[in-house]
């Protein structure tokens, strides 16, 4: 309730700000300038330039409105499309991803893990919030907007009723004080009651941001607050309630989805986070005539030569595992290290400062690339619960401090149309991660072929990584370990070919991993006798394990879209294979197909997309989910089974009218109950067939 009150107070203040800005914005409109360093070019969702002189309707991308994100290390700015596009709007609220790459627990905002290995990110020090990447913001994906008039977006998504429905409310606001300084906020709230018992999600994420773009001084600042509460049910108690509902109803009792018994109750994972980020730089350079305005007004433009960079990033997270220790929960877990204590708390604090000096690209004809040298220092403090020897009920909080000093460099070329590249290397000289290093490179080559644009991209890296803290140390109610782990060596090479006119994108890559580190299922087998029959069950346990050898992963993906008049067919096919399916199981195929009609009515003001899309992955031993740590891990070796082979089909109509977008979709129209493939994670069934609705409204004044 407090969060809601504060949020609406903030909205009221925003309305006052909008009113107060009218005079300022009129003056700014007369200036007609843009943010320093971004230029006037805008880009669509595929990175293609937009002719702003042809944009006459504010329902697309109005002149003077453009957005970007910043690099967390150096503060480099990367343009992104403004969120006004219609295509696939109905999928932007799908926890499984816009093209269905992710396994998740069924409910909106629940933890997720990608089926596609090359989509998976390295574990972070903020270990417990990694599975919530569908929802959470970080410093690298905060959207900054420069606008000639205040810009506001309100979005609302709804499914189901007050008993088992899902809702999401999003608000975004951006305004400029003048052509160099702007600020805004972003708020996102999810409440998923859940189709099944004890699986509700209540997630809030909000951020405040500001920026200043001057000739000699440049700054980006943001502050993020998140509060995530996830009810844990351990999955349904018997898959046959979904796979064979007729058998489970033989006794005369039928169950609706909410009445199906679950393994756990009265258990929650809660994460509360505070994140601050500042990146700024001071530029040395000179002024010269602006070649873009040489025929009109003889204006000067500042050319940066050398930049002095400072970036600071602070992350705090408090994770609580709340468990009221009734008999049901006690029978589920093997260990109870903290006895009957209801609360299990761990805290994380990281503070990282990076200082760099950069020789900027393009200040003269010989400076074909930019060169940056940097040094970083990171302090980490982790708080774990410890027991006291000889005192059964006493608990103490212990701090584990780590410091890391590293140096590195970057060679980058972003200007021009033909060739771009970025190579960054870093090595740790002292501290907990001493010896850790990484070299990452990416580049693209663009050229014309048969009156079309062809783009070749390449990405590669080699990393030697110290496993993150919570793989090495974790003390909790049900899991407890302290490990001295070997460093993980990873190397990857990936290439991509894109041909715009053909609507074709072909990508292939290979990765080798030594000392792959993962969460293993070490559940303990128990046999009991009931009515003279032996019943086998397992008590849950987890261990951190490293695979001593190497694992290879190959992946290839083809995106091919077809168009014939108003008929469209979008396709994505991903093939992948793992050399060790026992340790790193992956589906062979991950598919997405979208068949739809796209047309416009009422003098092309009303734009409509209507059709159906399908997500599919072949059967494999999909990772299980461990509620006491909030992470995915391997299935139990003794009773594992394959999931997949189920087409998840959604029908939809997607409408765009001036500044408003809306959709209505029918989720899971196939719904083949009576089949184990109805699960994406063991014992966590998909949501049944349901109607979804979404609305997004942009305000430009």
């Amino acid at each position: 309730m407090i969060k809601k009150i504060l949020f609406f107070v903030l909205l009221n203040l925003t309305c006052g700000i909008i009113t107060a800005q009218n005079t300022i914005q009129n003056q700014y409109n007369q200036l007609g300038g843009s943010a320093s360093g971004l230029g006037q070019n805008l880009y669509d969702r595929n990175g293609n330039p937009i002719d702003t002189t042809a944009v006459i309707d504010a329902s697309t991308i109005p002149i003077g409105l453009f957005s970007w994100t910043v690099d967390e290390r150096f503060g480099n700015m990367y343009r992104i499309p403004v969120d006004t596009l219609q295509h696939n709007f109905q999928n932007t609220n799908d926890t499984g991803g816009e093209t269905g790459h992710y396994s998740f627990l069924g409910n909106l905002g629940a933890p997720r893990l990608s089926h596609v290995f090359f989509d998976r990110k390295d574990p972070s020090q903020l270990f417990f919030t990694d599975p919530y990447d569908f929802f959470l913001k970080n410093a690298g994906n905060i959207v900054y907007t420069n606008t000639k008039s205040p810009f506001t977006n309100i979005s609302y998504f709804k499914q189901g009723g007050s008993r088992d429905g899902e809702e999401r409310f999003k608000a975004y606001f951006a305004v400029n004080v003048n052509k160099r300084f702007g600020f805004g906020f972003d708020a996102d709230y999810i409440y998923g009651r859940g189709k099944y018992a004890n699986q509700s999600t209540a997630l809030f994420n909000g951020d405040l941001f500001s920026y200043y773009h001057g000739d000699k001084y440049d700054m980006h600042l943001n502050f993020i607050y998140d509060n995530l509460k996830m009810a844990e049910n351990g999955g349904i108690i018997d898959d046959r309630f979904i796979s064979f509902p007729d058998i489970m109803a033989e006794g005369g009792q039928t169950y609706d989805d909410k009445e199906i018994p679950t393994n756990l109750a009265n258990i929650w994972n809660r994460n509360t986070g505070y994140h601050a980020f500042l990146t700024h730089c001071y530029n040395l350079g000179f002024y010269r005539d602006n070649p873009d305005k040489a025929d009109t007004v003889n204006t000067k433009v500042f050319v940066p030569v050398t930049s002095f960079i400072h970036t600071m990033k602070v992350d705090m997270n408090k994770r609580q595992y709340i468990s009221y220790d009734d008999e049901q929960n006690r029978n589920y877990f093997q260990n109870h290290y903290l006895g009957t204590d209801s609360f299990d708390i761990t805290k994380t604090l990281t503070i990282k400062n990076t200082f760099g000096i950069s020789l900027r690209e393009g200040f003269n004809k010989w400076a074909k690339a930019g060169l940056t040298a940097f040094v970083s220092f990171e302090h980490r403090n982790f708080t774990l619960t410890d027991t006291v020897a000889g005192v059964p009920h006493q608990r103490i909080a212990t701090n584990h401090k780590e410091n890391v000093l590293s140096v590195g460099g970057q060679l980058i070329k972003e200007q021009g149309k033909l060739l771009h590249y970025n190579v960054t290397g870093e090595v740790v000289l002292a501290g907990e991660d001493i010896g850790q290093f990484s070299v990452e490179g990416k580049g693209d080559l663009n050229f014309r072929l048969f009156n079309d644009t062809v783009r070749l991209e390449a990405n590669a890296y080699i990393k030697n990584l110290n496993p993150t803290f919570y793989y090495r140390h974790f003390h909790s109610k049900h899991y407890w370990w302290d490990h001295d782990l070997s460093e993980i060596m990873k190397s990857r090479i990936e290439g991509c070919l894109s041909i715009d006119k053909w609507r074709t994108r072909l990508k292939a890559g290979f990765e080798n991993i030594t000392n792959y580190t993962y969460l293993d299922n070490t559940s303990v087998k128990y046999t009991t006798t009931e009515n003279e029959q032996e019943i086998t069950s397992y008590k849950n346990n987890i261990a951190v394990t490293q695979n001593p050898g190497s694992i290879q992963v190959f992946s290839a993906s083809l995106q091919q879209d077809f168009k014939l008049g108003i008929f469209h067919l979008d396709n994505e096919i991903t093939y992948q294979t793992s050399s060790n399916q026992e340790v790193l199981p992956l589906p062979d195929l991950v598919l997405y197909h979208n068949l739809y009609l796209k047309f416009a009515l009422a003098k092309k003001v009303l734009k409509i997309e209507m059709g159906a899309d399908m997500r599919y992955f072949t059967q494999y031993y999909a990772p299980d989910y461990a509620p006491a740590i909030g992470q995915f891990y391997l299935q139990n070796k003794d009773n594992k089974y394959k999931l997949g082979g189920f087409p998840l089909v959604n029908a939809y109509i997607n409408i765009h009218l001036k500044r408003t977008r809306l959709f209505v979709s029918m989720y899971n129209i196939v719904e083949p109950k009576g089949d184990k493939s109805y699960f994406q994670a063991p014992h966590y069934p998909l949501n049944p067939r349901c109607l979804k609705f979404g609305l997004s409204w942009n305000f430009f004044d």
Side-chain angles (χ1 to χ4, degrees):
M1 180 59 70
I2 293 175
K3 294 196 297 285
K4 293 181 180 178
I5 293 172
L6 290 174
F7 180 70
F8 285 109
V9 168
L10 185 58
L11 282 181
N12 289 330
L13 290 174
T14 299
C15 293
I17 291 172
I18 294 173
T19 303
Q21 290 301 323
N22 286 340
T23 302
I24 297 174
Q25 293 306 319
N26 290 335
Q27 295 173 353
Y28 174 48
N29 290 342
Q30 294 173 6
L31 291 175
S34 67
S36 173
L38 280 179
Q40 297 289 342
N41 291 329
L42 305 179
Y43 292 82
D44 64 16
R45 63 193 301 269
N46 298 313
N48 299 314
I50 296 173
D51 180 8
T52 58
T53 61
V55 179
I56 58 174
D57 190 337
S59 66
T60 56
I61 301 181
I63 297 173
L65 175 69
F66 52 94
S67 298
W68 67 93
T69 60
V70 299
D71 169 60
E72 292 188 21
R73 177 177 279 148
F74 303 125
N76 295 332
M77 301 163 63
Y78 302 102
R79 299 182 191 90
I80 62 170
V82 178
D83 184 20
T84 58
L85 294 166
Q86 174 191 11
H87 184 59
N88 273 348
F89 174 54
Q90 77 283 355
N91 291 338
T92 57
N93 195 48
D94 193 328
T95 308
E98 290 194 19
T99 56
H101 281 192
Y102 291 84
S103 285
F104 67 109
L105 308 185
N107 200 11
L108 178 65
R112 69 178 191 174
L113 179 71
S114 180
H115 305 299
V116 179
F117 178 77
F118 276 29
D119 286 349
R120 298 180 185 177
K121 300 176 183 177
D122 293 329
S124 74
Q125 300 296 343
L126 300 175
F127 177 75
F128 300 102
T129 58
D130 285 348
Y132 295 92
D133 63 339
F134 161 71
F135 174 74
L136 286 180
K137 293 287 182 62
N138 57 58
N141 60 23
I142 295 294
V143 176
Y144 301 84
T145 298
N146 181 289
T147 175
K148 289 186 176 181
S149 59
F151 172 70
T152 305
N153 173 266
I154 302 293
S155 298
Y156 178 71
F157 302 90
K158 169 80 172 171
Q159 178 272 123
S162 59
R163 182 170 177 258
D164 61 358
E166 302 171 346
E167 292 181 90
R168 186 178 190 181
F169 176 78
K170 299 172 65 177
Y172 180 87
F173 172 76
V175 67
N176 277 72
V177 175
N178 53 46
K179 66 179 181 178
R180 298 189 183 276
F181 175 57
F183 63 92
F185 72 83
D186 193 0
D188 194 351
Y189 179 71
I190 282 178
Y191 184 35
R193 298 165 180 87
K195 298 297 183 184
Y196 303 91
N198 308 309
Q199 67 162 180
S200 64
T201 56
L203 315 177
F204 176 81
N205 181 260
D207 64 82
L208 301 171
F209 64 84
S210 67
Y211 63 88
Y212 177 82
H213 297 306
D215 289 343
K216 296 186 177 181
Y217 181 73
D218 191 271
M219 178 276 294
H220 290 85
L221 173 69
N222 65 64
F223 174 79
I224 304 171
Y225 168 75
D226 48 71
N227 194 326
L228 318 177
K229 188 175 182 180
M230 169 83 182
E232 304 286 4
N233 67 10
I236 62 175
I237 201 166
D238 192 327
D239 288 358
R240 292 179 298 172
F241 283 106
I242 299 297
S243 303
F244 305 103
D246 295 337
I247 294 177
M248 303 305 288
E250 285 181 353
Q253 181 178 1
T254 59
Y255 300 84
D256 69 18
D257 295 325
K258 205 73 172 182
E259 295 171 337
I260 295 175
T262 59
N263 285 299
L264 300 173
N266 299 318
I267 286 183
W268 295 267
N269 272 305
R270 184 168 186 173
N271 285 275
T272 305
Y274 301 87
H275 315 274
F277 175 77
L278 168 68
T279 179
H280 56 150
C281 69
Y282 183 78
N283 302 312
L284 299 178
F286 59 92
Y287 289 89
R288 67 183 177 196
D289 291 339
N290 187 350
D292 296 332
K293 297 184 178 181
D295 296 333
T296 56
V297 180
N298 187 19
T299 60
K300 298 288 186 178
V301 61
F302 182 76
V303 180
V305 176
T306 303
S307 297
F308 299 91
I309 303 165
H310 171 232
T311 297
M312 181 178 69
K313 190 170 184 286
V314 180
D315 292 298
M316 293 183 287
N317 188 69
K318 178 182 179 181
R319 185 259 184 176
Q320 302 174 73
Y321 175 72
I322 306 168
S323 170
Y324 297 102
D325 203 10
D326 57 23
E327 191 66 22
Q328 179 193 36
N329 299 337
R330 176 164 287 278
N331 291 335
Y332 183 83
F333 296 102
Q334 167 67 14
N335 300 308
H336 298 265
Y337 296 107
L338 302 181
T340 59
D341 287 1
S342 297
F343 288 83
D344 173 4
I345 299 174
T346 182
K347 299 178 182 178
T348 304
L349 167 66
T350 66
I351 304 173
K352 185 173 183 178
N353 281 278
T354 300
F355 299 90
I357 181 170
S358 177
L359 187 64
R360 300 289 293 270
E361 172 189 2
F363 69 88
N364 66 37
K365 65 179 182 179
W366 305 110
K368 300 297 185 181
L371 181 63
T372 302
F374 66 91
V375 57
S376 294
F377 180 79
E378 183 175 15
H379 170 74
R380 309 171 189 153
N381 188 15
F382 303 91
T383 303
L384 297 177
T385 300
D386 270 322
T387 57
V388 179
V391 187
H393 301 292
Q394 186 171 347
R395 310 285 181 257
I396 60 172
T398 57
N399 292 321
H400 300 253
K401 296 182 179 181
E402 299 180 348
N403 296 297
V404 176
L405 176 66
S406 62
V407 298
Q410 180 189 63
L411 182 66
I412 185 170
K413 183 181 186 300
E414 296 181 304
Q415 299 178 13
K417 297 181 179 180
L418 178 63
L419 176 66
H420 311 98
Y421 54 82
N422 182 343
V423 180
T424 304
E426 183 177 18
V427 61
V428 176
L429 300 180
E432 179 64 32
D433 298 340
I434 187 171
Q436 176 175 294
F437 68 86
S438 67
V439 179
E440 303 179 58
K442 61 181 180 180
D444 61 86
L445 178 65
N446 304 269
F447 57 92
R448 302 290 293 177
L449 180 64
F450 304 122
N451 200 30
D452 192 15
T453 299
V454 176
R455 183 166 52 256
L456 294 174
E457 301 173 67
N459 300 281
Y461 64 63
I462 181 169
K463 301 178 182 179
N464 189 53
L465 304 175
N466 188 27
T468 55
F469 177 83
Y470 287 107
Y471 277 102
R472 292 178 276 119
H473 305 283
F474 185 53
H475 302 168
S476 69
K477 185 169 185 175
H478 302 300
Y479 311 134
W480 198 289
W481 59 72
D482 290 285
H483 294 306
D484 183 13
L485 299 174
S486 300
E487 293 179 330
I488 305 165
M489 178 67 78
K490 303 176 64 176
S491 56
R492 174 186 293 186
I493 185 168
E494 184 178 25
C496 180
L497 169 66
S498 300
I499 304 176
D500 295 341
K501 190 174 183 179
W502 294 1
R503 302 171 183 263
T504 301
R505 181 178 172 87
L506 177 62
K507 182 168 60 176
F510 176 83
E511 178 157 331
N512 184 80
I513 312 168
T514 303
N515 294 327
Y516 175 68
T517 305
Y518 60 97
L519 295 175
D520 198 6
N521 191 320
T522 57
S523 296
V524 178
K525 184 177 181 180
Y526 282 85
T527 302
T528 57
T529 302
E530 185 176 317
N531 297 328
E532 298 183 352
Q533 291 185 343
E534 287 191 350
I535 299 175
T536 299
S537 60
Y538 295 85
K539 287 195 174 182
N540 179 267
N541 199 21
I542 283 180
V544 174
T545 306
Q546 285 192 309
N547 183 68
S550 295
I551 299 176
Q552 293 80 38
V553 177
F554 172 78
S555 177
S557 177
L558 172 65
Q559 291 177 256
Q560 181 63 67
D561 300 340
F562 299 98
K563 176 186 176 183
L564 180 61
I566 65 172
F567 294 93
H568 293 253
L569 176 61
D570 297 346
N571 304 276
E572 181 182 89
I573 302 171
T574 299
Y575 169 78
Q576 59 186 359
T577 182
S578 166
S579 64
N580 191 337
Q581 288 284 350
E582 294 294 321
V583 171
L584 182 54
L586 297 171
D588 291 336
L589 288 175
V590 180
L591 309 179
Y592 175 77
H593 304 285
N594 185 9
L595 178 63
Y596 58 98
L597 305 178
K598 185 175 182 178
F599 54 93
L601 300 174
K603 297 182 179 180
K604 298 185 178 181
V605 174
L606 179 64
K607 301 175 183 178
I608 298 175
E609 289 183 355
M610 57 187 302
D613 62 8
M614 186 271 289
R615 299 154 172 79
Y616 178 90
F617 61 92
T618 52
Q619 291 193 338
Y620 77 115
Y621 293 111
D624 204 343
Y625 175 75
I629 197 172
Q631 299 287 324
F632 290 90
Y633 71 141
L634 295 183
Q635 291 190 47
N636 188 334
K637 296 179 178 64
D638 294 338
N639 61 359
K640 65 182 181 179
Y641 64 96
K642 290 186 176 182
L643 288 81
F646 158 66
L648 176 60
V649 180
N650 305 324
Y652 66 90
I653 181 168
N654 195 352
I655 298 172
H656 190 178
L657 177 61
K658 293 186 176 180
R659 302 179 180 184
T660 305
R661 294 171 292 167
L662 62 91
F663 76 85
V664 178
S665 71
M666 182 62 73
Y667 176 82
N668 197 3
I669 62 175
V670 177
E671 196 185 27
K673 287 193 176 181
D675 191 328
K676 278 190 176 182
S677 63
Y678 195 64
F679 297 79
Q680 284 202 349
H683 319 303
Y684 289 90
L686 284 171
N687 281 352
R689 184 184 301 122
C690 55
L691 188 68
K692 296 186 177 184
F693 164 81
L695 172 69
S696 181
W697 196 352
N698 291 321
F699 303 87
F700 298 97
D701 45 32

